[in-house]
């Protein structure tokens, strides 16, 4: 049986950031991921936006870690040549009550410590985004865009250089708390791969002084393996379309509507990527299966309907279906309001650290989350 100081379960952007942080302080760190490569789930199936922190309730973990993470991520990208662009974004309103909602959003952002926010009028909007229709907008200069795939690779590479053992194609099948450790039993491959059903499973066990649950969509299932049934992840699929190349001139940077009042999402937005394509999305719909990326995809006409208030020129012929991603929501259907991140030592199994409901702004917050988790790990290991 291998022995380890730390086993991190889940090799998305947060798991890789945690591996980088803890491997700086401890040896014998393992990062296990059931997929063939790190970051194949929600980490790279999103808009790649570096958020500023305007949306989240003051004092919440999402607010604190997003604002701190924005600065840390920009510095990391510069230091490690991760492709990114700090281009700012516009959150647009169409008059009436939306104007008041825009001012409230600005006040919320300032309360969270987001700098440089200002309200701009129609003429200023058109100078920035000639094809966008809006009566007013909130300009958010600290927002940017990052290559999520390159970010994951950089974090994983640094962790490996510091001695961490990175294990893709390794899924957790059992967690057994013991007096001074947790036994982590692994089997090869992805549990959702039909090929694994016909193969004889070869299991290996690592005895860890600390286990960190960064399993994203499956974090509730990992918690349940330790007897913690307090959490349930509700998968929410977000779908994207992409403007055809000939129409990519319609959007210069990032344009968002006001967020959904029920807290479900930030709304279908327009994102000019680092590769000069333009994404339209994501949508937000609860689904029953955590790996259902493609069933019953929305037609392009639905994207047109939702985008037209911001981009009147858009037509169905301008769009093609792109990828989709799935958010790890803690809020069930019908629940209004934002559910905060859960980052805590497990009450019943004190050698386990639970990260549950790490959806947006998890990408932006990953380095700040990792710093917080490393502090919790120090309480366990020191």
């Amino acid at each position: 049986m291998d022995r380890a100081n730390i086993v991190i379960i889940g090799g998305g952007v947060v798991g890789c950031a945690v591996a980088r942080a803890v491997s700086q302080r401890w040896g014998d760190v393992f990062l296990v991921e059931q997929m063939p490569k790190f970051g194949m789930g929600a980490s790279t199936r999103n808009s790649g936006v570096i958020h500023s922190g305007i949306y989240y309730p003051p004092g919440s973990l999402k607010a604190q870690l997003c604002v701190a993470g924005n600065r840390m991520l920009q510095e990391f990208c510069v230091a490690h040549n991760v492709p990114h662009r700090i281009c700012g974004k516009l959150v647009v309103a169409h008059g009436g009550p939306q104007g008041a909602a825009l001012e409230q959003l600005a006040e919320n952002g300032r309360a969270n410590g987001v700098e440089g926010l200002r309200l701009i009028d129609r003429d200023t909007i058109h100078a920035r985004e000639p094809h966008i229709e809006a009566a007013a907008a909130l300009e958010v200069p600290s927002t940017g865009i990052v290559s999520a795939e390159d970010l994951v690779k950089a974090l994983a590479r640094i962790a490996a250089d510091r001695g961490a053992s990175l294990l893709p194609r390794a899924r957790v099948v059992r967690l057994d708390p013991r007096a001074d450790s947790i036994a982590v039993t692994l089997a090869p491959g992805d549990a959702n791969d039909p090929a694994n059903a016909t193969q004889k499973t070869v299991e290996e066990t690592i005895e860890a002084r600390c286990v960190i649950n960064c399993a994203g969509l499956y974090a509730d299932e990992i918690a349940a393996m330790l007897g913690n049934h307090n959490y349930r992840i509700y998968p929410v699929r977000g779908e994207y379309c992409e403007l055809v190349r000939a129409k990519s001139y319609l959007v210069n940077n990032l344009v968002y509507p006001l967020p959904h009042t029920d807290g479900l999402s930030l709304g279908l937005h327009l994102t000019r990527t680092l590769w000069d394509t333009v994404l339209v999305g994501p949508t937000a719909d609860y689904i029953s299966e955590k790996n259902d990326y493609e069933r019953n995809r929305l037609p392009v006409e639905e994207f047109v309907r939702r985008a037209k208030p911001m981009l009147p020129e858009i037509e169905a012929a301008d769009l093609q279906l792109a990828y989709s991603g799935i958010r790890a929501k803690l809020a069930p259907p019908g629940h209004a309001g934002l559910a905060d991140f859960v980052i805590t030592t497990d009450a019943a199994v004190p050698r386990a650290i639970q990260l549950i409901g790490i959806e947006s702004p998890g990408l932006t917050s990953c380095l700040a989350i990792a710093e917080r988790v490393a502090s919790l790990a120090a309480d366990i290991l020191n």
Side-chain angles (χ1 to χ4, degrees), residues 90-96 98 102 118-138 309-310 312:
L90 301 180
V91 182
V92 300
H94 300 287
Q98 286 201 357
L102 201 64
R118 67 169 184 147
L119 295 170
I120 60 176
D121 60 16
R122 187 187 303 271
D123 290 342
T124 310
I125 294 166
H126 281 171
R128 292 270 304 271
E129 296 281 356
H131 302 278
I132 295 298
E133 174 56 39
L138 177 62
M310 293 186 294

Side-chain angles (χ1 to χ4, degrees), residues 55-67 112 230-233 262-263 328-332 335-344 354-362 365 369 372:
Y55 297 106
Y56 317 108
S60 66
L61 283 179
K62 284 186 175 180
Q64 296 173 46
L65 298 174
C66 183
V67 173
N112 288 340
N230 295 327
Y231 306 106
R232 180 178 172 186
I233 295 295
D262 61 4
K329 283 280 184 187
L330 274 173
H335 174 87
L338 286 167
D340 204 3
F341 292 154
V342 173
I343 304 173
T344 184
Q354 305 286 6
L355 282 71
I356 317 281
I358 311 296
E359 51 162 340
S360 182
S365 307
I369 291 172
R372 189 179 186 93

Side-chain angles (χ1 to χ4, degrees), residues 38-108:
F38 297 102
M40 289 182 69
S43 298
T44 54
R45 288 175 167 266
N46 56 63
S47 304
V49 171
I50 303 173
H51 286 290
S52 63
I54 61 174
Y55 297 106
Y56 317 108
S60 66
L61 283 179
K62 284 186 175 180
Q64 296 173 46
L65 298 174
C66 183
V67 173
N70 176 286
R71 172 184 51 79
M72 295 170 74
L73 188 55
Q74 290 187 43
E75 292 172 356
F76 181 88
C77 289
V78 170
H80 298 282
N81 297 313
V82 176
H84 72 293
R85 183 176 75 241
I86 305 303
C87 54
K89 79 172 179 183
L90 301 180
V91 182
V92 300
H94 300 287
Q98 286 201 357
L102 201 64
E103 292 189 16
Q104 289 174 358
L105 187 61
E107 290 174 9
N108 193 80

Side-chain angles (χ1 to χ4, degrees), residues 111-174:
N112 288 340
V114 181
E115 298 178 350
L117 300 175
R118 67 169 184 147
L119 295 170
I120 60 176
D121 60 16
R122 187 187 303 271
D123 290 342
T124 310
I125 294 166
H126 281 171
R128 292 270 304 271
E129 296 281 356
H131 302 278
I132 295 298
E133 174 56 39
L138 177 62
E139 185 180 49
V140 189
S142 59
T143 301
I145 190 129
V146 64
S147 169
E149 186 173 351
D150 287 295
L151 174 61
V152 169
K153 287 178 179 177
L155 292 167
R157 182 179 66 250
I158 294 168
D161 288 346
R162 290 175 175 171
S165 298
L166 275 53
L167 307 178
R169 299 183 187 272
R171 58 189 169 95
V172 176
V173 293
R174 257 188 335 277

